Amino acid sequence: MLRTRLLPWFTLSALGLGALAGCERAPEAPAVAPPAPAVAAAKPPAPDAVAVAKLASHFFQAPRGEAPLPADTEAQVALGRMLFHEPRLSKNHDVSCNTCHGLDTFGVDNKALSDGHRGQKGSRNSPTVYNAARHIAQFWDGRAATLEAQAEGPMMNPVEMAMPDAKRVEATLSSMPEYTARFHAAFPKERKPVTLAHAAKALAAFERTLTTPSRFDRFLAGEHAALSVAEQRGLEAFVTTGCTTCHNGPAVGGTSFQKLGLVEEYPMLTDAGRFDATKNEDDRGYFRVPTLRNVEKTGPYLHDGSVQDLPTMVRLMGRYQLGRTLKDGEVDDLVAFLKSLTGELPPAERIS
């Protein structure tokens, strides 16, 4: 196995860290001559243009072996948008994809564990659906190779949407004339267009439109002033400390599986991770690296939602993935960079 040193989880899907509490001190007796104010240590400058170009190169390449995205039609995307918000795809008609992956809240519900059928909670945090089309696989354990495969799972999951089988999903959709018409428009060559597989394809087509361009993209395009000096320092720290070993490519992550606790055993880790999907002992404790796009908005972090804030997550990743105790200034710069990955949501008429 490769032992990559990085932030597999700058999930950073997993980054969060708590600010240190200030300590109280008893007031000191006034000195005869008050000392001169301490001069704050000067922050290092932003990297130069040559260094910036080298740093940016980590985020252009697509994952190795990535297949081209399907040619989705407008009718399929429109149908997928309806289905994404459709609670009648759940047994009690009260849970939709948008329930756990709120499109107006950056594709998450900001809960450690989401509420599903009859208020049941799963065992893993709901990852964002934004920019998920660039992931090597779907779910924390990568058990779904494509967005289409992922879309089918929650409908029949007894904890999530709890539909008993594909026939119930298809019967429900077929009972509504508008859906029948839209499935025919989306899949005009199919003799039986209203199927679970076609519903999943439409959902995937819609999700492939869910991207969030940010200031970081303008920076990558050559507009270096799009990032502040602190954010550029954070980018430099992100690369030089090893975070890009896992968090690379256009989605700043999502392109590999990594072990949580690579350098030091992660405390109280009970989730077997990718082992649940592969039953391969070598995959125990491995998870799909999350995208860091919009990470400022998608907490709480990690597969179990156990980390509440971004600075804490950064410190944890530094320790357990890189074997480093990050200094306060490094954490500040890294968090500044991560916040530059917060993008623009699609127009309301496209996601409502």
Side-chain angles (χ1 to χ4, degrees), residues 27-107:
E28 299 177 358
V32 175
V39 178
K43 287 275 191 178
D48 61 29
V50 174
V52 161
K54 187 174 182 180
L55 296 173
S57 68
H58 292 271
F59 306 97
F60 289 121
Q61 73 276 17
R64 287 175 294 179
E66 181 185 69
L69 297 179
D72 303 314
T73 67
E74 291 185 11
Q76 290 168 354
V77 172
L79 172 59
R81 182 168 75 99
M82 291 181 64
L83 294 173
F84 194 90
H85 292 274
E86 182 53 80
R88 286 170 289 189
L89 289 177
S90 65
K91 184 176 182 178
N92 281 1
H93 294 187
D94 58 355
V95 178
S96 71
C97 301
N98 196 69
T99 301
C100 303
H101 302 282
L103 296 184
D104 59 351
T105 53
F106 291 88

Side-chain angles (χ1 to χ4, degrees), residues 4 57 69 118 120-121 125-126 133 140 142 160 200 216 223 236 244 252 254 275 292 298 325 329 332 344 348 351:
T4 50
S57 68
L69 297 179
R118 294 185 175 177
Q120 296 178 87
K121 293 185 182 294
N125 177 260
S126 295
W140 284 103
E160 297 182 57
F216 183 56
E223 186 186 336
E236 186 172 41
T244 50
V252 196
F275 170 82
L292 295 186
T298 56
T325 300
D332 291 343
E344 302 173 11
I351 61 175

Side-chain angles (χ1 to χ4, degrees), residues 58-190:
H58 292 271
F59 306 97
F60 289 121
Q61 73 276 17
R64 287 175 294 179
E66 181 185 69
L69 297 179
D72 303 314
T73 67
E74 291 185 11
Q76 290 168 354
V77 172
L79 172 59
R81 182 168 75 99
M82 291 181 64
L83 294 173
F84 194 90
H85 292 274
E86 182 53 80
R88 286 170 289 189
L89 289 177
S90 65
K91 184 176 182 178
N92 281 1
H93 294 187
D94 58 355
V95 178
S96 71
C97 301
N98 196 69
T99 301
C100 303
H101 302 282
L103 296 184
D104 59 351
T105 53
F106 291 88
V108 299
D109 58 7
N110 296 120
K111 298 178 181 179
L113 302 174
S114 299
D115 299 311
H117 178 63
R118 294 185 175 177
Q120 296 178 87
K121 293 185 182 294
S123 59
R124 290 176 180 156
N125 177 260
S126 295
T128 179
V129 292
Y130 280 106
N131 308 294
R134 289 295 184 183
H135 290 170
I136 190 173
Q138 306 300 319
F139 296 114
W140 284 103
D141 56 15
R143 64 185 180 274
T146 64
L147 284 175
E148 286 83 353
Q150 184 279 328
E152 290 190 18
M155 293 185 221
M156 263 71 70
N157 188 307
V159 175
E160 297 182 57
M161 300 172 84
M163 279 296 215
D165 50 40
K167 289 183 178 181
R168 176 70 68 84
V169 174
E170 292 165 1
T172 300
L173 293 171
S174 296
S175 71
M176 293 176 271
E178 183 173 358
Y179 271 124
T180 300
R182 286 185 176 268
F183 270 90
H184 276 282
F187 304 99
K189 296 181 180 180
E190 300 293 334

Side-chain angles (χ1 to χ4, degrees), residues 59 214-220 227 235 252 337 340-341:
F59 306 97
S214 69
R215 288 186 294 115
F216 183 56
D217 294 292
R218 304 207 314 268
F219 175 84
L220 293 178
L227 297 190
L235 168 59
V252 196
F337 165 63
S340 78
L341 301 176

